[in-house]
Each structure stands twice: as C-alpha cells, then as structure tokens.
Amino acid sequence: MKDGLTDTLYGLGWGAVKRLPEPVAARLGRSIADLAWNRRGKGVQRLESNLARVVPDAGEARLRELSKAGMRSYLRYWMESFRLPAWSKERIRSSFDCKDLHLLEEGLASGRGVVLALPHMANWDLAGAWVTTRLGVPFATVAERLKPETLYDRFVAYREGLGMEVLPHTGGAAFGALARRLRGGGLVCLVADRDLSSSGVRVNFFGEATRMPAGPALLAQQTGALLLPVTLWYDDSPNLQGQVHAPIEVPEGGTRAERTAVMTQRLADVFAAGIAEHPQDWHMLQRLWLADLEPRADGPAGQPAGGGAASSPVSGDPADRSGTEKP
C-alpha cells in the first residue's frame, strides 16, 4: 500500500508539475519546502545535524536558517526535475553555467574516457541533461534499485529520456559495464558522496569518519580514465552553477587498495570544499557519518543496516533523493 502510494505521488509530480506555469511551480516548491521545514521531521533534523558538521561554528539560529534554505534548494531540485522532460533543448542548453569546462572537454578529446564524480548538490539531473544536450555527449551512470519497482522504472525512463544510460546498482555487473564504456573513450557520471555498499572507503570528511564509494577511483585505475570532481550549486540567477575541478591523479606507488584510499580521500576533500562554500545546496537528508550509523546485525559497527549491494564498489545513487533513511 505504501509503495503504491509513493509511486502514485511521484507519478502525479511528473505529470502535473511540468504543466504548471513556471512561477507557480516555483512558489509551490517553496511552499512545500517551508511546510516540511516547519514540521521538523526526521529528514529536516538529519539535514541540520549534517550541516552542523559542515558549519561547526554555526549557532542554532544559523543552522535553522541554513536548513530552511536547504529544503528550498532540495524542492527546487524536485520541481526542476519534474519539469525537465518538458524543457526545450534550447532551455536546457542555457540553464547551466559551468566553470573550467575545458577540463572535461580536453579529457574527452584525449580518448582516455572520463569519470565525473559529484556530491548530492543542487540538480544533478539538469547538469546531466546539459551534458547530453549542450555537449552532445552521452554518458552512463548507475541507479539504486528503489521500491516499488515501478518507481525505479519511472526514474530510469526519466533519465534515459534525458539521454543517460542508466545501469542498475546490482553486484559487480554495473562496474564491468562502466569500465567498458570508459575503455571506449566514453563518459561515466557517479554521485559519490554516500556509500551504498559494504565496500566503501573510509575517509575523513569535515573532521569525522565516513565511507565513500570506491568506484570512481577504481574505475580510473583500471581503465586509465580521467577522474574529475564536479560540484554544483544555485545562486541568485535562474541558472544552475557548476565547477569542474582539477583531476584526481592515480598515485604512482602503493597497492591498489592504498591508491584507492588516497584518491577517495582527495575526492572527499574536493567535495568538502565545495559543500562548505554552498552548504544550503547539499541535499544530504540521510545519515552519513559512521558515528550516526546503526551497527549491522551481521557486520561490524559503522556499517548501515541492510548495506545495499555488498559486492559492488560503485555507489553513485542519483535516484536516492527521497530524504528517507535508506541504507
């Protein structure tokens, strides 16, 4: 019953919101955000708890201000995403301003393949649609299998309609498919600030321990692809803003595990710098730090209960934007 209701609500969002005039949709998004923020549910409380790590010197009033702005940013993501399939190609091309884009363009031109790794900031879907539309470059990504299956199917169909190849986050099959795309000089995009498996790499993030997926670093090592971090944010303009950062290089020495640890920590450091600059646009309404995660019944402390696809090093969970406490 609950799964069916969830699917119905998402279906209504994609069906109804995209037909609203844009100012009406924007006001609706802010109203829903403010209502959710005022109710002080688990997602809002978790967002504030996470932001307290990002802005450690913020008092209670500042944290509440940031969480309110964060919920508005989060609902802007949803309203834009519901409406994105109805946008013209011209609208998509003009809706994203990207700094240091040459790093991506030069990487693709080299033929070695590129992995773009992003945190849960602003609108990943719009940035992806811009890449396929403005640059004319298709890319592959992965999506967590959501329940009900019909909801997962909606997300897959939505992203494929934007020109993305979506692979299910199941076992090691996704990793092999992504590696093949990269060896062919292709592009892979992964949301990589939250581990969905038991194979994540332990990193220091805003002064505390968490785990992030090993996939981006492993793919770069195994295929020779360029690993480029990207951060996104909103400003006062109508456009999404973004930054392609300098590549994360593969260390020359050490074991594969040691190289992966170094690269993932460097990726976490870039994410942290971008999130610190735009904390209100980091949509992390889930538990993230090991200190906040409940011990598994069948595993060591610090791993989330029901830890996802245990054999897969790839996380990249672009579909997981619900704000619920998912594993």
PDB file of all heavy atoms in Angstrom, residues 192 200-214 216-217 221 227 229 248-249 251 257-273 289:
ATOM      1  N   ALA A 192      28.808  10.427  -5.712  1.00  0.00           N
ATOM      2  CA  ALA A 192      29.781   9.599  -4.988  1.00  0.00           C
ATOM      3  C   ALA A 192      30.132  10.086  -3.588  1.00  0.00           C
ATOM      4  O   ALA A 192      31.241   9.865  -3.113  1.00  0.00           O
ATOM      5  CB  ALA A 192      31.059   9.498  -5.815  1.00  0.00           C
ATOM      6  N   GLY A 200      32.816   0.456   0.823  1.00  0.00           N
ATOM      7  CA  GLY A 200      33.246   1.835   0.722  1.00  0.00           C
ATOM      8  C   GLY A 200      34.588   2.075   1.384  1.00  0.00           C
ATOM      9  O   GLY A 200      35.067   1.294   2.209  1.00  0.00           O
ATOM     10  N   VAL A 201      35.186   3.196   1.017  1.00  0.00           N
ATOM     11  CA  VAL A 201      36.493   3.572   1.545  1.00  0.00           C
ATOM     12  C   VAL A 201      36.305   4.546   2.702  1.00  0.00           C
ATOM     13  O   VAL A 201      35.574   5.527   2.592  1.00  0.00           O
ATOM     14  CB  VAL A 201      37.344   4.237   0.441  1.00  0.00           C
ATOM     15  CG1 VAL A 201      38.691   4.696   1.001  1.00  0.00           C
ATOM     16  CG2 VAL A 201      37.537   3.286  -0.733  1.00  0.00           C
ATOM     17  N   ARG A 202      36.961   4.275   3.794  1.00  0.00           N
ATOM     18  CA  ARG A 202      36.873   5.159   4.965  1.00  0.00           C
ATOM     19  C   ARG A 202      37.651   6.447   4.672  1.00  0.00           C
ATOM     20  O   ARG A 202      38.816   6.409   4.279  1.00  0.00           O
ATOM     21  CB  ARG A 202      37.448   4.456   6.193  1.00  0.00           C
ATOM     22  CG  ARG A 202      37.243   5.230   7.503  1.00  0.00           C
ATOM     23  CD  ARG A 202      37.861   4.444   8.641  1.00  0.00           C
ATOM     24  NE  ARG A 202      37.732   5.133   9.915  1.00  0.00           N
ATOM     25  CZ  ARG A 202      36.922   4.764  10.894  1.00  0.00           C
ATOM     26  NH1 ARG A 202      36.159   3.686  10.752  1.00  0.00           N
ATOM     27  NH2 ARG A 202      36.864   5.446  12.027  1.00  0.00           N
ATOM     28  N   VAL A 203      37.003   7.590   4.873  1.00  0.00           N
ATOM     29  CA  VAL A 203      37.626   8.894   4.636  1.00  0.00           C
ATOM     30  C   VAL A 203      37.323   9.821   5.802  1.00  0.00           C
ATOM     31  O   VAL A 203      36.386   9.601   6.576  1.00  0.00           O
ATOM     32  CB  VAL A 203      37.110   9.549   3.326  1.00  0.00           C
ATOM     33  CG1 VAL A 203      37.487   8.712   2.113  1.00  0.00           C
ATOM     34  CG2 VAL A 203      35.604   9.797   3.381  1.00  0.00           C
ATOM     35  N   ASN A 204      38.142  10.851   5.910  1.00  0.00           N
ATOM     36  CA  ASN A 204      37.879  11.926   6.859  1.00  0.00           C
ATOM     37  C   ASN A 204      37.103  13.003   6.112  1.00  0.00           C
ATOM     38  O   ASN A 204      37.572  13.527   5.099  1.00  0.00           O
ATOM     39  CB  ASN A 204      39.198  12.479   7.407  1.00  0.00           C
ATOM     40  CG  ASN A 204      38.980  13.559   8.453  1.00  0.00           C
ATOM     41  OD1 ASN A 204      38.462  14.622   8.167  1.00  0.00           O
ATOM     42  ND2 ASN A 204      39.415  13.286   9.670  1.00  0.00           N
ATOM     43  N   PHE A 205      35.928  13.346   6.628  1.00  0.00           N
ATOM     44  CA  PHE A 205      35.041  14.281   5.942  1.00  0.00           C
ATOM     45  C   PHE A 205      34.524  15.278   6.959  1.00  0.00           C
ATOM     46  O   PHE A 205      33.799  14.917   7.874  1.00  0.00           O
ATOM     47  CB  PHE A 205      33.885  13.494   5.308  1.00  0.00           C
ATOM     48  CG  PHE A 205      33.084  14.241   4.285  1.00  0.00           C
ATOM     49  CD1 PHE A 205      33.683  14.866   3.199  1.00  0.00           C
ATOM     50  CD2 PHE A 205      31.701  14.295   4.387  1.00  0.00           C
ATOM     51  CE1 PHE A 205      32.926  15.530   2.241  1.00  0.00           C
ATOM     52  CE2 PHE A 205      30.938  14.945   3.430  1.00  0.00           C
ATOM     53  CZ  PHE A 205      31.553  15.570   2.363  1.00  0.00           C
ATOM     54  N   PHE A 206      34.963  16.522   6.833  1.00  0.00           N
ATOM     55  CA  PHE A 206      34.635  17.555   7.813  1.00  0.00           C
ATOM     56  C   PHE A 206      35.040  17.123   9.229  1.00  0.00           C
ATOM     57  O   PHE A 206      34.332  17.364  10.200  1.00  0.00           O
ATOM     58  CB  PHE A 206      33.150  17.920   7.770  1.00  0.00           C
ATOM     59  CG  PHE A 206      32.750  18.652   6.517  1.00  0.00           C
ATOM     60  CD1 PHE A 206      32.086  17.987   5.499  1.00  0.00           C
ATOM     61  CD2 PHE A 206      33.060  19.991   6.350  1.00  0.00           C
ATOM     62  CE1 PHE A 206      31.733  18.660   4.329  1.00  0.00           C
ATOM     63  CE2 PHE A 206      32.706  20.662   5.199  1.00  0.00           C
ATOM     64  CZ  PHE A 206      32.044  20.006   4.184  1.00  0.00           C
ATOM     65  N   GLY A 207      36.198  16.467   9.322  1.00  0.00           N
ATOM     66  CA  GLY A 207      36.760  16.134  10.618  1.00  0.00           C
ATOM     67  C   GLY A 207      36.257  14.857  11.246  1.00  0.00           C
ATOM     68  O   GLY A 207      36.675  14.513  12.355  1.00  0.00           O
ATOM     69  N   GLU A 208      35.366  14.130  10.564  1.00  0.00           N
ATOM     70  CA  GLU A 208      34.849  12.885  11.109  1.00  0.00           C
ATOM     71  C   GLU A 208      34.901  11.787  10.057  1.00  0.00           C
ATOM     72  O   GLU A 208      34.965  12.052   8.851  1.00  0.00           O
ATOM     73  CB  GLU A 208      33.411  13.054  11.607  1.00  0.00           C
ATOM     74  CG  GLU A 208      33.275  13.940  12.821  1.00  0.00           C
ATOM     75  CD  GLU A 208      31.884  13.856  13.425  1.00  0.00           C
ATOM     76  OE1 GLU A 208      31.337  12.742  13.530  1.00  0.00           O
ATOM     77  OE2 GLU A 208      31.330  14.910  13.763  1.00  0.00           O
ATOM     78  N   ALA A 209      34.847  10.545  10.524  1.00  0.00           N
ATOM     79  CA  ALA A 209      34.965   9.406   9.625  1.00  0.00           C
ATOM     80  C   ALA A 209      33.635   9.070   8.962  1.00  0.00           C
ATOM     81  O   ALA A 209      32.583   9.055   9.607  1.00  0.00           O
ATOM     82  CB  ALA A 209      35.472   8.193  10.394  1.00  0.00           C
ATOM     83  N   THR A 210      33.693   8.790   7.678  1.00  0.00           N
ATOM     84  CA  THR A 210      32.576   8.215   6.944  1.00  0.00           C
ATOM     85  C   THR A 210      33.152   7.322   5.859  1.00  0.00           C
ATOM     86  O   THR A 210      34.363   7.137   5.773  1.00  0.00           O
ATOM     87  CB  THR A 210      31.662   9.307   6.349  1.00  0.00           C
ATOM     88  OG1 THR A 210      30.492   8.680   5.786  1.00  0.00           O
ATOM     89  CG2 THR A 210      32.373  10.107   5.265  1.00  0.00           C
ATOM     90  N   ARG A 211      32.291   6.727   5.055  1.00  0.00           N
ATOM     91  CA  ARG A 211      32.741   5.923   3.927  1.00  0.00           C
ATOM     92  C   ARG A 211      32.175   6.492   2.639  1.00  0.00           C
ATOM     93  O   ARG A 211      31.020   6.910   2.586  1.00  0.00           O
ATOM     94  CB  ARG A 211      32.298   4.461   4.079  1.00  0.00           C
ATOM     95  CG  ARG A 211      33.068   3.701   5.146  1.00  0.00           C
ATOM     96  CD  ARG A 211      32.745   2.209   5.097  1.00  0.00           C
ATOM     97  NE  ARG A 211      33.544   1.481   6.070  1.00  0.00           N
ATOM     98  CZ  ARG A 211      33.182   1.260   7.325  1.00  0.00           C
ATOM     99  NH1 ARG A 211      32.022   1.713   7.757  1.00  0.00           N
ATOM    100  NH2 ARG A 211      33.965   0.603   8.149  1.00  0.00           N
ATOM    101  N   MET A 212      32.982   6.481   1.599  1.00  0.00           N
ATOM    102  CA  MET A 212      32.551   6.891   0.274  1.00  0.00           C
ATOM    103  C   MET A 212      32.865   5.767  -0.707  1.00  0.00           C
ATOM    104  O   MET A 212      33.765   4.957  -0.465  1.00  0.00           O
ATOM    105  CB  MET A 212      33.228   8.202  -0.139  1.00  0.00           C
ATOM    106  CG  MET A 212      32.739   9.386   0.665  1.00  0.00           C
ATOM    107  SD  MET A 212      33.371  10.980   0.075  1.00  0.00           S
ATOM    108  CE  MET A 212      32.583  12.075   1.263  1.00  0.00           C
ATOM    109  N   PRO A 213      32.120   5.692  -1.799  1.00  0.00           N
ATOM    110  CA  PRO A 213      32.298   4.573  -2.726  1.00  0.00           C
ATOM    111  C   PRO A 213      33.676   4.541  -3.365  1.00  0.00           C
ATOM    112  O   PRO A 213      34.243   5.572  -3.716  1.00  0.00           O
ATOM    113  CB  PRO A 213      31.195   4.788  -3.768  1.00  0.00           C
ATOM    114  CG  PRO A 213      30.824   6.234  -3.647  1.00  0.00           C
ATOM    115  CD  PRO A 213      31.016   6.582  -2.212  1.00  0.00           C
ATOM    116  N   ALA A 214      34.183   3.339  -3.543  1.00  0.00           N
ATOM    117  CA  ALA A 214      35.491   3.150  -4.160  1.00  0.00           C
ATOM    118  C   ALA A 214      35.423   3.225  -5.680  1.00  0.00           C
ATOM    119  O   ALA A 214      36.454   3.373  -6.341  1.00  0.00           O
ATOM    120  CB  ALA A 214      36.060   1.794  -3.742  1.00  0.00           C
ATOM    121  N   PRO A 216      34.662   5.358  -8.272  1.00  0.00           N
ATOM    122  CA  PRO A 216      35.356   6.327  -9.117  1.00  0.00           C
ATOM    123  C   PRO A 216      36.862   6.104  -9.177  1.00  0.00           C
ATOM    124  O   PRO A 216      37.454   6.119 -10.267  1.00  0.00           O
ATOM    125  CB  PRO A 216      35.012   7.665  -8.451  1.00  0.00           C
ATOM    126  CG  PRO A 216      33.681   7.436  -7.813  1.00  0.00           C
ATOM    127  CD  PRO A 216      33.747   6.021  -7.314  1.00  0.00           C
ATOM    128  N   ALA A 217      37.484   5.872  -8.024  1.00  0.00           N
ATOM    129  CA  ALA A 217      38.935   5.658  -8.011  1.00  0.00           C
ATOM    130  C   ALA A 217      39.309   4.343  -8.680  1.00  0.00           C
ATOM    131  O   ALA A 217      40.291   4.273  -9.428  1.00  0.00           O
ATOM    132  CB  ALA A 217      39.452   5.676  -6.569  1.00  0.00           C
ATOM    133  N   GLN A 221      41.688   3.781 -12.076  1.00  0.00           N
ATOM    134  CA  GLN A 221      42.889   2.948 -12.069  1.00  0.00           C
ATOM    135  C   GLN A 221      42.810   1.828 -13.101  1.00  0.00           C
ATOM    136  O   GLN A 221      43.772   1.550 -13.810  1.00  0.00           O
ATOM    137  CB  GLN A 221      43.069   2.326 -10.683  1.00  0.00           C
ATOM    138  CG  GLN A 221      43.432   3.308  -9.590  1.00  0.00           C
ATOM    139  CD  GLN A 221      43.560   2.614  -8.250  1.00  0.00           C
ATOM    140  OE1 GLN A 221      44.473   1.820  -8.038  1.00  0.00           O
ATOM    141  NE2 GLN A 221      42.638   2.893  -7.340  1.00  0.00           N
ATOM    142  N   LEU A 227      39.735  11.126 -13.776  1.00  0.00           N
ATOM    143  CA  LEU A 227      38.754  11.288 -12.700  1.00  0.00           C
ATOM    144  C   LEU A 227      38.629  12.766 -12.357  1.00  0.00           C
ATOM    145  O   LEU A 227      39.573  13.384 -11.858  1.00  0.00           O
ATOM    146  CB  LEU A 227      39.175  10.492 -11.465  1.00  0.00           C
ATOM    147  CG  LEU A 227      38.315  10.660 -10.208  1.00  0.00           C
ATOM    148  CD1 LEU A 227      36.842  10.374 -10.487  1.00  0.00           C
ATOM    149  CD2 LEU A 227      38.844   9.777  -9.072  1.00  0.00           C
ATOM    150  N   PRO A 229      36.389  15.630 -10.289  1.00  0.00           N
ATOM    151  CA  PRO A 229      35.315  16.001  -9.369  1.00  0.00           C
ATOM    152  C   PRO A 229      34.529  17.182  -9.937  1.00  0.00           C
ATOM    153  O   PRO A 229      35.079  18.055 -10.630  1.00  0.00           O
ATOM    154  CB  PRO A 229      36.058  16.422  -8.096  1.00  0.00           C
ATOM    155  CG  PRO A 229      37.486  16.054  -8.309  1.00  0.00           C
ATOM    156  CD  PRO A 229      37.713  15.998  -9.776  1.00  0.00           C
ATOM    157  N   ILE A 248      41.817  14.111 -10.249  1.00  0.00           N
ATOM    158  CA  ILE A 248      42.413  13.332  -9.162  1.00  0.00           C
ATOM    159  C   ILE A 248      43.339  12.303  -9.816  1.00  0.00           C
ATOM    160  O   ILE A 248      42.883  11.377 -10.500  1.00  0.00           O
ATOM    161  CB  ILE A 248      41.331  12.605  -8.335  1.00  0.00           C
ATOM    162  CG1 ILE A 248      40.297  13.600  -7.781  1.00  0.00           C
ATOM    163  CG2 ILE A 248      41.972  11.793  -7.218  1.00  0.00           C
ATOM    164  CD1 ILE A 248      40.819  14.578  -6.772  1.00  0.00           C
ATOM    165  N   GLU A 249      44.620  12.475  -9.629  1.00  0.00           N
ATOM    166  CA  GLU A 249      45.592  11.605 -10.287  1.00  0.00           C
ATOM    167  C   GLU A 249      45.754  10.282  -9.531  1.00  0.00           C
ATOM    168  O   GLU A 249      45.584  10.208  -8.307  1.00  0.00           O
ATOM    169  CB  GLU A 249      46.950  12.308 -10.383  1.00  0.00           C
ATOM    170  CG  GLU A 249      46.919  13.631 -11.130  1.00  0.00           C
ATOM    171  CD  GLU A 249      46.656  13.480 -12.626  1.00  0.00           C
ATOM    172  OE1 GLU A 249      46.716  12.315 -13.119  1.00  0.00           O
ATOM    173  OE2 GLU A 249      46.411  14.497 -13.294  1.00  0.00           O
ATOM    174  N   PRO A 251      47.969   7.716  -7.767  1.00  0.00           N
ATOM    175  CA  PRO A 251      49.324   7.719  -7.176  1.00  0.00           C
ATOM    176  C   PRO A 251      50.218   6.687  -7.855  1.00  0.00           C
ATOM    177  O   PRO A 251      49.755   5.646  -8.324  1.00  0.00           O
ATOM    178  CB  PRO A 251      49.059   7.347  -5.709  1.00  0.00           C
ATOM    179  CG  PRO A 251      47.626   7.696  -5.471  1.00  0.00           C
ATOM    180  CD  PRO A 251      46.922   7.455  -6.762  1.00  0.00           C
ATOM    181  N   ALA A 257      44.591  -1.002  -3.154  1.00  0.00           N
ATOM    182  CA  ALA A 257      43.774  -0.515  -2.041  1.00  0.00           C
ATOM    183  C   ALA A 257      44.317   0.806  -1.503  1.00  0.00           C
ATOM    184  O   ALA A 257      43.552   1.716  -1.174  1.00  0.00           O
ATOM    185  CB  ALA A 257      43.722  -1.564  -0.935  1.00  0.00           C
ATOM    186  N   GLU A 258      45.645   0.911  -1.402  1.00  0.00           N
ATOM    187  CA  GLU A 258      46.242   2.154  -0.903  1.00  0.00           C
ATOM    188  C   GLU A 258      46.013   3.309  -1.878  1.00  0.00           C
ATOM    189  O   GLU A 258      45.703   4.427  -1.460  1.00  0.00           O
ATOM    190  CB  GLU A 258      47.734   1.942  -0.662  1.00  0.00           C
ATOM    191  CG  GLU A 258      48.024   1.025   0.525  1.00  0.00           C
ATOM    192  CD  GLU A 258      49.480   0.593   0.591  1.00  0.00           C
ATOM    193  OE1 GLU A 258      50.211   0.705  -0.435  1.00  0.00           O
ATOM    194  OE2 GLU A 258      49.919   0.128   1.664  1.00  0.00           O
ATOM    195  N   ARG A 259      46.149   3.031  -3.173  1.00  0.00           N
ATOM    196  CA  ARG A 259      45.890   4.085  -4.160  1.00  0.00           C
ATOM    197  C   ARG A 259      44.426   4.519  -4.119  1.00  0.00           C
ATOM    198  O   ARG A 259      44.119   5.710  -4.217  1.00  0.00           O
ATOM    199  CB  ARG A 259      46.265   3.591  -5.556  1.00  0.00           C
ATOM    200  CG  ARG A 259      47.747   3.354  -5.766  1.00  0.00           C
ATOM    201  CD  ARG A 259      48.092   3.183  -7.236  1.00  0.00           C
ATOM    202  NE  ARG A 259      47.388   2.061  -7.843  1.00  0.00           N
ATOM    203  CZ  ARG A 259      47.861   0.821  -7.903  1.00  0.00           C
ATOM    204  NH1 ARG A 259      49.053   0.536  -7.372  1.00  0.00           N
ATOM    205  NH2 ARG A 259      47.173  -0.137  -8.501  1.00  0.00           N
ATOM    206  N   THR A 260      43.544   3.553  -3.969  1.00  0.00           N
ATOM    207  CA  THR A 260      42.113   3.864  -3.908  1.00  0.00           C
ATOM    208  C   THR A 260      41.801   4.729  -2.699  1.00  0.00           C
ATOM    209  O   THR A 260      41.011   5.676  -2.786  1.00  0.00           O
ATOM    210  CB  THR A 260      41.296   2.563  -3.867  1.00  0.00           C
ATOM    211  OG1 THR A 260      41.574   1.792  -5.035  1.00  0.00           O
ATOM    212  CG2 THR A 260      39.807   2.851  -3.798  1.00  0.00           C
ATOM    213  N   ALA A 261      42.416   4.421  -1.564  1.00  0.00           N
ATOM    214  CA  ALA A 261      42.188   5.199  -0.348  1.00  0.00           C
ATOM    215  C   ALA A 261      42.652   6.641  -0.518  1.00  0.00           C
ATOM    216  O   ALA A 261      41.953   7.588  -0.129  1.00  0.00           O
ATOM    217  CB  ALA A 261      42.896   4.547   0.836  1.00  0.00           C
ATOM    218  N   VAL A 262      43.821   6.822  -1.114  1.00  0.00           N
ATOM    219  CA  VAL A 262      44.359   8.165  -1.331  1.00  0.00           C
ATOM    220  C   VAL A 262      43.455   8.962  -2.278  1.00  0.00           C
ATOM    221  O   VAL A 262      43.109  10.126  -2.018  1.00  0.00           O
ATOM    222  CB  VAL A 262      45.799   8.096  -1.876  1.00  0.00           C
ATOM    223  CG1 VAL A 262      46.268   9.473  -2.338  1.00  0.00           C
ATOM    224  CG2 VAL A 262      46.747   7.548  -0.815  1.00  0.00           C
ATOM    225  N   MET A 263      43.053   8.346  -3.378  1.00  0.00           N
ATOM    226  CA  MET A 263      42.235   9.042  -4.365  1.00  0.00           C
ATOM    227  C   MET A 263      40.851   9.390  -3.807  1.00  0.00           C
ATOM    228  O   MET A 263      40.328  10.493  -4.047  1.00  0.00           O
ATOM    229  CB  MET A 263      42.089   8.185  -5.622  1.00  0.00           C
ATOM    230  CG  MET A 263      43.399   7.979  -6.377  1.00  0.00           C
ATOM    231  SD  MET A 263      43.223   6.810  -7.746  1.00  0.00           S
ATOM    232  CE  MET A 263      42.253   7.811  -8.903  1.00  0.00           C
ATOM    233  N   THR A 264      40.267   8.473  -3.054  1.00  0.00           N
ATOM    234  CA  THR A 264      38.938   8.732  -2.497  1.00  0.00           C
ATOM    235  C   THR A 264      38.994   9.832  -1.444  1.00  0.00           C
ATOM    236  O   THR A 264      38.079  10.657  -1.343  1.00  0.00           O
ATOM    237  CB  THR A 264      38.343   7.437  -1.916  1.00  0.00           C
ATOM    238  OG1 THR A 264      38.364   6.414  -2.925  1.00  0.00           O
ATOM    239  CG2 THR A 264      36.909   7.648  -1.469  1.00  0.00           C
ATOM    240  N   GLN A 265      40.071   9.876  -0.661  1.00  0.00           N
ATOM    241  CA  GLN A 265      40.213  10.966   0.308  1.00  0.00           C
ATOM    242  C   GLN A 265      40.364  12.306  -0.404  1.00  0.00           C
ATOM    243  O   GLN A 265      39.780  13.320   0.024  1.00  0.00           O
ATOM    244  CB  GLN A 265      41.422  10.720   1.217  1.00  0.00           C
ATOM    245  CG  GLN A 265      41.632  11.799   2.283  1.00  0.00           C
ATOM    246  CD  GLN A 265      40.466  11.902   3.236  1.00  0.00           C
ATOM    247  OE1 GLN A 265      40.152  10.954   3.957  1.00  0.00           O
ATOM    248  NE2 GLN A 265      39.792  13.064   3.265  1.00  0.00           N
ATOM    249  N   ARG A 266      41.129  12.332  -1.492  1.00  0.00           N
ATOM    250  CA  ARG A 266      41.275  13.579  -2.249  1.00  0.00           C
ATOM    251  C   ARG A 266      39.937  14.014  -2.838  1.00  0.00           C
ATOM    252  O   ARG A 266      39.610  15.213  -2.870  1.00  0.00           O
ATOM    253  CB  ARG A 266      42.319  13.400  -3.345  1.00  0.00           C
ATOM    254  CG  ARG A 266      43.746  13.278  -2.805  1.00  0.00           C
ATOM    255  CD  ARG A 266      44.745  12.961  -3.907  1.00  0.00           C
ATOM    256  NE  ARG A 266      46.100  12.829  -3.369  1.00  0.00           N
ATOM    257  CZ  ARG A 266      47.133  12.364  -4.059  1.00  0.00           C
ATOM    258  NH1 ARG A 266      46.970  11.985  -5.330  1.00  0.00           N
ATOM    259  NH2 ARG A 266      48.321  12.274  -3.498  1.00  0.00           N
ATOM    260  N   LEU A 267      39.158  13.054  -3.289  1.00  0.00           N
ATOM    261  CA  LEU A 267      37.830  13.360  -3.804  1.00  0.00           C
ATOM    262  C   LEU A 267      36.955  13.927  -2.693  1.00  0.00           C
ATOM    263  O   LEU A 267      36.253  14.931  -2.881  1.00  0.00           O
ATOM    264  CB  LEU A 267      37.211  12.080  -4.378  1.00  0.00           C
ATOM    265  CG  LEU A 267      35.998  12.208  -5.295  1.00  0.00           C
ATOM    266  CD1 LEU A 267      36.320  13.025  -6.542  1.00  0.00           C
ATOM    267  CD2 LEU A 267      35.502  10.815  -5.688  1.00  0.00           C
ATOM    268  N   ALA A 268      37.011  13.318  -1.509  1.00  0.00           N
ATOM    269  CA  ALA A 268      36.236  13.810  -0.363  1.00  0.00           C
ATOM    270  C   ALA A 268      36.646  15.231  -0.002  1.00  0.00           C
ATOM    271  O   ALA A 268      35.796  16.061   0.368  1.00  0.00           O
ATOM    272  CB  ALA A 268      36.432  12.877   0.832  1.00  0.00           C
ATOM    273  N   ASP A 269      37.933  15.548  -0.099  1.00  0.00           N
ATOM    274  CA  ASP A 269      38.402  16.892   0.228  1.00  0.00           C
ATOM    275  C   ASP A 269      37.842  17.925  -0.752  1.00  0.00           C
ATOM    276  O   ASP A 269      37.468  19.038  -0.343  1.00  0.00           O
ATOM    277  CB  ASP A 269      39.934  16.931   0.201  1.00  0.00           C
ATOM    278  CG  ASP A 269      40.569  16.123   1.325  1.00  0.00           C
ATOM    279  OD1 ASP A 269      39.871  15.812   2.302  1.00  0.00           O
ATOM    280  OD2 ASP A 269      41.771  15.786   1.202  1.00  0.00           O
ATOM    281  N   VAL A 270      37.783  17.572  -2.051  1.00  0.00           N
ATOM    282  CA  VAL A 270      37.208  18.494  -3.030  1.00  0.00           C
ATOM    283  C   VAL A 270      35.719  18.685  -2.755  1.00  0.00           C
ATOM    284  O   VAL A 270      35.198  19.805  -2.794  1.00  0.00           O
ATOM    285  CB  VAL A 270      37.433  17.979  -4.465  1.00  0.00           C
ATOM    286  CG1 VAL A 270      36.741  18.896  -5.475  1.00  0.00           C
ATOM    287  CG2 VAL A 270      38.924  17.905  -4.774  1.00  0.00           C
ATOM    288  N   PHE A 271      35.018  17.584  -2.487  1.00  0.00           N
ATOM    289  CA  PHE A 271      33.597  17.687  -2.157  1.00  0.00           C
ATOM    290  C   PHE A 271      33.397  18.590  -0.941  1.00  0.00           C
ATOM    291  O   PHE A 271      32.498  19.442  -0.924  1.00  0.00           O
ATOM    292  CB  PHE A 271      33.025  16.304  -1.842  1.00  0.00           C
ATOM    293  CG  PHE A 271      32.861  15.395  -3.033  1.00  0.00           C
ATOM    294  CD1 PHE A 271      32.550  14.057  -2.842  1.00  0.00           C
ATOM    295  CD2 PHE A 271      32.992  15.856  -4.331  1.00  0.00           C
ATOM    296  CE1 PHE A 271      32.381  13.202  -3.918  1.00  0.00           C
ATOM    297  CE2 PHE A 271      32.832  15.007  -5.428  1.00  0.00           C
ATOM    298  CZ  PHE A 271      32.523  13.676  -5.208  1.00  0.00           C
ATOM    299  N   ALA A 272      34.210  18.386   0.085  1.00  0.00           N
ATOM    300  CA  ALA A 272      34.052  19.162   1.324  1.00  0.00           C
ATOM    301  C   ALA A 272      34.237  20.652   1.062  1.00  0.00           C
ATOM    302  O   ALA A 272      33.491  21.478   1.597  1.00  0.00           O
ATOM    303  CB  ALA A 272      35.055  18.678   2.373  1.00  0.00           C
ATOM    304  N   ALA A 273      35.222  21.009   0.243  1.00  0.00           N
ATOM    305  CA  ALA A 273      35.448  22.424  -0.056  1.00  0.00           C
ATOM    306  C   ALA A 273      34.241  23.014  -0.784  1.00  0.00           C
ATOM    307  O   ALA A 273      33.796  24.125  -0.466  1.00  0.00           O
ATOM    308  CB  ALA A 273      36.711  22.589  -0.904  1.00  0.00           C
ATOM    309  N   TRP A 289      27.726  10.033   8.471  1.00  0.00           N
ATOM    310  CA  TRP A 289      28.934   9.765   9.242  1.00  0.00           C
ATOM    311  C   TRP A 289      28.790   8.467  10.030  1.00  0.00           C
ATOM    312  O   TRP A 289      27.690   8.097  10.476  1.00  0.00           O
ATOM    313  CB  TRP A 289      29.247  10.934  10.162  1.00  0.00           C
ATOM    314  CG  TRP A 289      29.902  12.068   9.438  1.00  0.00           C
ATOM    315  CD1 TRP A 289      31.234  12.219   9.193  1.00  0.00           C
ATOM    316  CD2 TRP A 289      29.251  13.198   8.819  1.00  0.00           C
ATOM    317  NE1 TRP A 289      31.462  13.369   8.478  1.00  0.00           N
ATOM    318  CE2 TRP A 289      30.270  14.004   8.235  1.00  0.00           C
ATOM    319  CE3 TRP A 289      27.933  13.617   8.709  1.00  0.00           C
ATOM    320  CZ2 TRP A 289      30.003  15.181   7.559  1.00  0.00           C
ATOM    321  CZ3 TRP A 289      27.654  14.794   8.034  1.00  0.00           C
ATOM    322  CH2 TRP A 289      28.677  15.575   7.464  1.00  0.00           C
TER     323      TRP A 289
END
